[in-house]
Amino acid sequence: GRKFDIEGAINFCKSQGYKRIIIQGHSSGTQKVVNYAIDNNYKDIILLSPGDLYEEAKSSNDVDIDKLEETARTLVLKGNGDSLLDIPIWDNYFSAKTFINTLGQGGFSDVFPIMRKEKNPMLEKYNGNLIIVVGTNDAYLTPYSNYKTLEKWLKNNFSNAKIDYLNLEGETHSFTTNTKNFAKHITEMVVNIL
């Protein structure tokens, strides 16, 4: 199901007569967009507030994520992947399979291993247009020390992409501080790649 919502949106836009469609992901949706773009040779993407979900989960919960991942993997191996884990992450309960895909090391969403200082060779495969926007007051940046560290890591890993990167001063993770300014910058960046 992780690609069908993107394909559904693209197909809808095509049915409305649009020829060139830029797909965008926000926060945990950035991993989905990157996977889709690389798997389908898609050339125009926008990433808003990308991050290292695994490390964010480790740093923002009083939970031993490694032990929880071990429990999830054991449940999946025993055929109980749909069982809910008994400890919430970000106030949400995950099934064992969803936990592994969303927060597990090497899972579908483990696209940006920034805090582990690991390079992700998959990102070198993307050679299209890439717009990345990060708010300088994004609360999830804390584990990365600052937005400049995130920018450096992303630019080094997306080494074959044509990148337009913006650290939007004073903005939060959800870009709600000054929505008009945010929209103005996104519009300018999109016009530059068209």
Side-chain angles (χ1 to χ4, degrees):
R2 55 184 176 239
K3 75 176 195 170
F4 298 118
D5 55 344
I6 293 175
E7 287 178 350
I10 290 170
N11 290 337
F12 175 77
C13 290
K14 286 179 179 176
S15 76
Q16 300 301 303
Y18 292 100
K19 303 285 184 231
R20 188 164 178 191
I21 300 154
I22 301 170
I23 55 175
Q24 174 257 304
H26 174 259
S27 193
S28 61
T30 60
Q31 289 86 349
K32 183 186 271 192
V33 165
V34 167
N35 277 296
Y36 182 87
I38 290 170
D39 290 348
N40 295 281
N41 200 29
Y42 206 87
K43 297 298 182 188
D44 297 312
I45 63 174
I46 299 173
L47 306 180
L48 306 175
S49 302
D52 185 339
L53 286 182
Y54 180 79
E55 292 298 330
E56 287 172 14
K58 279 180 80 169
S59 67
S60 65
N61 292 282
D62 269 345
V63 175
D64 184 342
I65 295 294
D66 296 321
K67 186 170 175 56
L68 197 56
E69 182 176 353
E70 183 181 321
T71 300
R73 291 191 185 282
T74 300
L75 285 167
V76 169
L77 286 174
K78 290 181 176 180
N80 298 318
D82 292 330
S83 298
L84 288 180
L85 298 173
D86 58 358
I87 300 171
I89 305 295
W90 300 309
D91 297 324
N92 295 300
Y93 288 90
F94 290 82
S95 72
K97 283 191 295 192
T98 300
F99 177 88
I100 292 168
N101 285 329
T102 306
L103 298 172
Q105 289 190 56
F108 175 79
S109 294
D110 193 19
V111 174
F112 307 119
I114 301 158
M115 287 302 294
R116 287 165 273 158
K117 297 185 170 106
E118 295 175 9
K119 192 162 179 70
N120 185 345
M122 175 185 86
L123 301 180
E124 293 176 351
K125 295 176 185 176
Y126 184 74
N127 62 359
N129 294 306
L130 173 59
I131 293 172
I132 303 172
V133 183
V134 175
T136 61
N137 287 343
D138 186 331
Y140 294 106
L141 287 177
T142 307
Y144 313 125
S145 72
N146 63 54
Y147 57 91
K148 292 179 182 177
T149 304
L150 177 63
E151 178 180 4
K152 182 179 177 185
W153 188 93
L154 289 167
K155 285 182 174 178
N156 285 339
N157 277 266
F158 281 106
S159 56
N160 294 312
K162 181 183 171 198
I163 300 173
D164 193 355
Y165 196 104
L166 175 64
N167 290 311
L168 199 51
E169 190 64 40
E171 271 301 342
T172 63
H173 184 74
S174 298
F175 302 100
T176 56
T177 305
N178 185 340
T179 55
K180 287 183 183 178
N181 186 47
F182 170 69
K184 180 184 115 197
H185 283 291
I186 290 291
T187 302
E188 290 170 356
M189 295 169 92
V190 167
V191 167
N192 285 338
I193 68 169
L194 294 179

